[in-house]
Amino acid sequence: MLGGAFLTMSAIIEIDRLTHIYSPGTPFQIAALDSISLDIKKGVFLAIIGSTGSGKSTLIRHFNGLLRPTSGKVRVCGIDTADKKQRRNLWRSVGLVFQQPEQQLFEETVLADVAFGPRNMGLAEAEVKERAHEALRLVGINPQEAARMSPFHLSGGMRRKAAIAGVLALKPQVLILDEPTAGLDPQGKQQLMQHVENFRRREDATIILVTHDMEEVALLAEQVAVLNQGRLVMVGPPREIFSRVEELMAIGLDLPAAARLMHQLRLLGKRIRPGVLTADEAEEVIAGLLEEALC
Amino acid sequence: MKDVFIAAKDLTYIYRRGNAGGYKALSGINLTVKTGEFLVIIGSNGSGKSTLARHFNGMLKPSAGSITVAGMDTTSAENTWEIRRLVGMVFQNPDNQIVSSLVEEDAAFGAENLGLPPEEVKKRVAETLRLVGLTPYAGHAPHLLSGGQKQKLAIAGVLAMCPTCLVLDEPTSMLDPAGRMELMETLIHLNRDMQVTVVLVTHFMEEAVLADRVVVLSDGEIALSGPPAEIFTEIELLAELGLQLPTALKIAHGLRQRGFSLPLDILTIDDMLAYCKNVLVE
């Protein structure tokens, strides 16, 4: 029992002084990541935020070995990502959903597309089918209908879901999503992230979300890592990160709207409890202030 | 009463007409865009927003009904060039719109294509780069710009053609918070100070509240149309359409339900702050 508890607390991704330099030794040399150290615990929902060019996409490409460190070390599920012989195991453990994944659909039907990954892993046909059906249900697509749907005749939101189902069917221990909700309508965003959360619960998977949407971070993340110019500048729970207002603003980031309002009220001299992130929480705080003032 | 710039009448559009899998994306749309207006179009994925926006410069032609731009019918080929000059389009992905290896050359591309003399192109590009705040980057390579700067470069290129109207299809959806803010400030500046007509397609309700008028599309039809203060009182209907209230309106709505009476013109976080300041400080 103790051993189990210990295991769930252990790091599934260990990053030790990771530095990545693009085009080293040329005039175009750019240090995209600069000595990053971070442990990501198994089963956690981590959001990575940072302005354009801060190194987010470079960092997540290290998690499945698409990039190898210029210096430093990255271990994922105990595998050193620099070890070429372990590549295949790494790809099986880590699912990476790129930006606009719907552009990567290629099969004739949605079902065939989702089944491609598990089949490619060499699983038995019954297992392939079961995994594809399960993944489709997780994102809210009926597997029977998916067998008849062409991915190219779907709306953007449906194609996005189909593409993500293709990665879920691999049952990765670590699921990395690079701006998965960009371009989706508010309801589509909410549903998609709910599916991701369901997958995490069910599989005890680790979720790493790269996003520009601070509301999403406030609602979903347990931990937030903030990058700026290739450096890791903050790590912590959202309530803590979003209380460091000036630092975030200085590196081109924003607060969730409710947190921004609370910050401005504090500047007016109002005493407001820390850690308010959502509209509901802000409503409660303002109701309290109004009652006080109107009494 | 401002002039009508774009007028859609019973506009219907069918994708892959007559083929299996063909479907109606727009159905009987009646809509006018007035000169100088800031119009926002919202609606869930697949509601027809992009299809409608692509009719505004003749990229798509109606399957039935009609659409005119500055009085010109978009279906007649002889109007195409003038319509494309009057209505500039900016799309979602900043990286797909760059054609040159220098910022000022990229901004000049459209104007050069109009066959203008080089001095005139140069003058216009200098002016439009200044308008969007990219003058310091004129000699830079575009790929070194941030996402927000790239979108502003796309806008500068379109502006150099001296359009009447800018149509932007989700221009902020791939930008970081600072880029999004920069771009919205640029659009508001162009609209208020330079009298550019702006049509903005977006999923961000925080952007919609800044418009003069909001049009809500659902299944290819106009579900609602009006100033943001009116549109965002239709809470249940918006939820049914897969849309949400911006945070400030959510808070205001919650407070009203608790029995506080708040003015109806609270749309943004700044409005809410001003209200609180008024009640709590003074």
Side-chain angles (χ1 to χ4, degrees), chain B residues 55-124:
Chain B
H55 277 85
F56 292 163
N57 77 340
M59 278 175 75
L60 293 177
K61 314 264 197 277
S63 305
S66 69
I67 183 159
T68 59
V69 175
M72 293 177 285
D73 191 328
T74 63
T75 52
S76 72
E78 69 212 41
N79 294 334
T80 302
W81 279 94
E82 184 59 6
I83 288 173
R84 297 261 160 98
R85 189 188 68 75
L86 288 174
V87 182
M89 295 278 293
V90 176
F91 298 97
Q92 187 178 44
N93 191 334
D95 291 315
N96 290 351
Q97 300 173 64
I98 287 166
V99 294
S100 176
S101 55
L102 267 185
V103 165
E104 59 184 354
E105 282 177 10
D106 193 86
F109 181 79
E112 275 172 348
N113 264 356
L114 293 177
L116 298 168
E119 314 79 66
E120 174 66 14
V121 172
K122 222 173 167 181
K123 208 180 92 197
R124 286 188 183 190

Side-chain angles (χ1 to χ4, degrees), chain A residues 51-52 99-100 182-187 190 212 252 254 257 261 264-265 268 270 279 282-283 286-287 289-290 293, chain B residues 44-45 92 170 173-178 203 242 244 247 250-251 254-255 258 260 269 272-273 276-277 279-280:
Chain A
S51 57
T52 310
Q99 285 177 27
Q100 301 189 319
L184 295 187
D185 60 54
Q187 198 176 40
Q190 219 171 18
H212 286 313
D254 200 0
L261 178 60
Q264 282 159 341
L265 285 173
L268 292 178
K270 295 289 151 197
E283 176 198 320
I286 295 175
L289 291 172
L290 290 176
Chain B
S44 60
N45 288 109
Q92 187 178 44
E170 293 188 48
S173 70
M174 299 182 74
L175 304 185
D176 60 24
H203 281 309
Q244 283 173 343
T247 305
K250 238 187 248 170
I251 296 172
L255 288 170
R258 285 172 185 253
F260 296 101
I269 290 291
M272 180 57 94
L273 182 69
C276 288
K277 208 168 167 179
V279 176
L280 299 175

Side-chain angles (χ1 to χ4, degrees), chain A residues 135-235:
Chain A
L136 283 163
R137 277 194 294 267
L138 260 176
V139 300
I141 298 178
N142 180 324
Q144 265 74 43
E145 281 172 32
R148 295 190 299 269
M149 283 181 210
S150 162
F152 305 102
H153 291 175
L154 298 177
S155 73
M158 280 292 271
R159 292 215 313 256
R160 180 84 49 100
K161 284 183 191 173
I164 289 175
V167 177
L168 296 184
L170 300 168
K171 291 200 180 174
Q173 292 185 56
V174 179
L175 176 64
I176 305 168
L177 303 130
D178 195 354
E179 293 192 52
T181 60
L184 295 187
D185 60 54
Q187 198 176 40
K189 277 184 189 192
Q190 219 171 18
Q191 283 173 354
L192 184 60
M193 291 321 293
Q194 190 56 53
H195 299 318
V196 168
E197 181 61 16
N198 292 346
F199 175 76
R200 176 172 81 120
R201 296 243 166 109
R202 193 146 138 188
E203 303 290 329
D204 193 22
T206 307
I207 309 291
I208 297 172
L209 171 71
V210 172
T211 184
H212 286 313
D213 187 334
M214 300 302 142
E215 312 289 339
E216 211 164 78
V217 175
L219 281 175
L220 296 163
E222 296 169 314
Q223 290 287 316
V224 185
V226 186
L227 291 185
N228 182 41
Q229 296 181 347
R231 285 169 183 268
L232 181 65
V233 290
M234 294 180 219
V235 190

